Amino acid sequence: MHAYSAPAKIILFGEHAVVYGEPAIAAPFRALQAQVTATPAPYGSGLSIIGAASGVTLHVSPANDTPDNALIYAAQLVLEALGKPPPDLTLELRSDIPIGGGFGSGAAVSAALMRALSAALGAPLSGEALNALVYRVEQLHHGTPSGIDNTVIVYEQPVYFVRGEPPQTFRVGAPLTFLVADTGVSASTRETVGDVRRLYEGDQAHYGAIIAEIGELVRRARALIEAGGACEELGELMNTNHALLRALSVSSALLDHLCATARQQGAYGAKLSGGGRGGSLIALTEPDLAPALAKALREAGAVQTWLMQLE
Ligand code: MEV
């Protein structure tokens, strides 16, 4: 038996606009992980996937139709890529990544499962092959994903990402401390991405300008992160990015309230992270302020908080 894992991700700047070709900055979030163990099963029993928390067992057939279930689809894509029939194997899945929390749970679960299955078949997938297959599962979850979630989760590196281009890594001039908070509200990225698309198609001049403004802000954020030590300006950019996401309709009263609370408590800036309308937010903070900030955010309605260091 061997365990394979993949981390969650946090988008620091540029979600949603990234779907329209603007850059975004994201980092792996290792405090939360999806993990899959592979155990040989008795001869003839086939391939099954067990959810450790739910106890639900799924059987993977070598079917050709795209299934509704993302786990079955992830397994079938690996079998198809490797040209193998389902082995006699049990894959057991554990994940502490909240679903619909803006943490890339779907991509992390797919990546861990595909790593476990390909390794058990004696043909571990390369990063590039894995990234391409996880992206196909993301399409099932999200419709028109930019590819940022699978990229940061598969390569486990902070990335500056532009849709359709190879991901770029960047230098972090001085470590940055973020407090990550979960609203506890599960939200569908497919829905928020679809709603932004409808707004954009209804008024391309207005929403296109907001999207372009987010792109410009991400380019400035990258330069500031690389230069190091510009927490105040970076915090301002986070606040502006949040306001622009709000103008794209993907914030919520709770996200606005938690971001305002973080700023009142002395954070340099705060914004929602990921698909929005729920899910998570991030606040840039001095490390010694973080405990009081975490307490204030929990009192204001966050269900969980974590520290994340970008270095
Ligand atoms: C979701 O983590 C990020 C979005 O920009 C969607 C995407 O990039 O596919 C909201």
Side-chain angles (χ1 to χ4, degrees):
M1 187 178 86
H2 197 92
Y4 295 83
S5 58
K9 69 89 189 28
I10 290 289
I11 296 191
L12 302 178
F13 290 97
E15 51 276 270
H16 285 288
V18 69
V19 174
Y20 297 81
E22 297 295 345
I25 298 173
F29 182 39
R30 296 195 178 82
L32 298 174
Q33 297 273 338
Q35 196 188 69
V36 173
T37 54
T39 314
Y43 178 76
S45 53
L47 176 59
S48 18
I49 304 170
I50 300 179
S54 65
V56 171
T57 301
L58 302 165
H59 293 283
V60 181
S61 62
N64 296 321
D65 290 346
T66 303
D68 293 338
N69 186 287
L71 294 173
I72 293 180
Y73 187 44
Q76 286 179 345
L77 285 175
V78 172
L79 298 176
E80 180 193 282
L82 300 179
K84 306 238 182 192
D88 295 322
L89 190 73
T90 303
L91 297 173
E92 190 170 355
L93 166 69
R94 301 191 145 67
S95 174
D96 44 29
I97 309 175
I99 296 169
F103 295 112
S105 152
V109 165
S110 300
L113 186 143
M114 288 174 160
R115 280 187 173 131
L117 178 56
S118 61
L121 289 167
L125 294 164
S126 68
E128 204 180 326
L130 180 63
N131 197 28
L133 294 184
V134 177
Y135 181 72
R136 286 180 61 190
V137 188
E138 287 291 281
Q139 288 176 306
L140 192 71
H141 281 298
H142 296 329
T144 56
S146 65
I148 190 168
D149 287 14
N150 45 283
T151 300
V152 73
I153 282 166
V154 166
Y155 293 109
E156 300 192 29
Q157 294 279 337
V159 294
Y160 179 86
F161 179 90
V162 179
R163 187 173 191 166
E165 293 181 10
Q168 301 171 41
T169 50
F170 58 90
R171 208 173 66 86
V172 181
L176 295 170
T177 303
F178 293 93
L179 195 80
V180 179
D182 180 11
T183 61
V185 178
S186 170
S188 152
T189 301
R190 177 187 271 279
E191 244 167 62
T192 55
V193 168
D195 288 352
V196 173
R197 172 70 59 193
R198 271 183 288 283
L199 287 175
Y200 175 76
E201 274 162 11
D203 188 346
Q204 287 199 14
H206 178 67
Y207 290 100
I210 295 175
I211 288 166
E213 204 180 327
I214 295 178
E216 196 43 47
L217 175 156
V218 176
R219 285 183 274 274
R220 281 173 52 208
R222 177 186 177 161
L224 291 172
I225 293 172
E226 288 187 324
C231 288
E232 256 141 42
E233 289 112 296
L234 272 173
E236 269 314 305
L237 290 181
M238 289 172 71
N239 294 341
T240 308
N241 196 165
H242 182 79
L244 293 168
L245 287 163
R246 197 158 174 254
L248 292 178
S249 85
V250 296
S251 190
S252 68
L254 180 56
L255 280 166
D256 291 346
H257 175 57
L258 292 173
C259 288
T261 304
R263 291 173 202 131
Q264 279 153 19
Q265 291 294 317
Y268 290 113
K271 63 178 278 293
L272 71 86
S273 175
R277 297 253 175 89
S280 49
L281 66 134
I282 53 170
L284 179 62
T285 179
E286 281 300 319
D288 58 352
L289 272 186
L293 184 54
K295 185 164 174 279
L297 286 175
R298 283 198 296 271
E299 281 167 6
V303 293
Q304 224 180 328
T305 58
W306 303 264
L307 266 189
M308 188 186 85
Q309 190 89 350
L310 183 73
E311 48 199 351

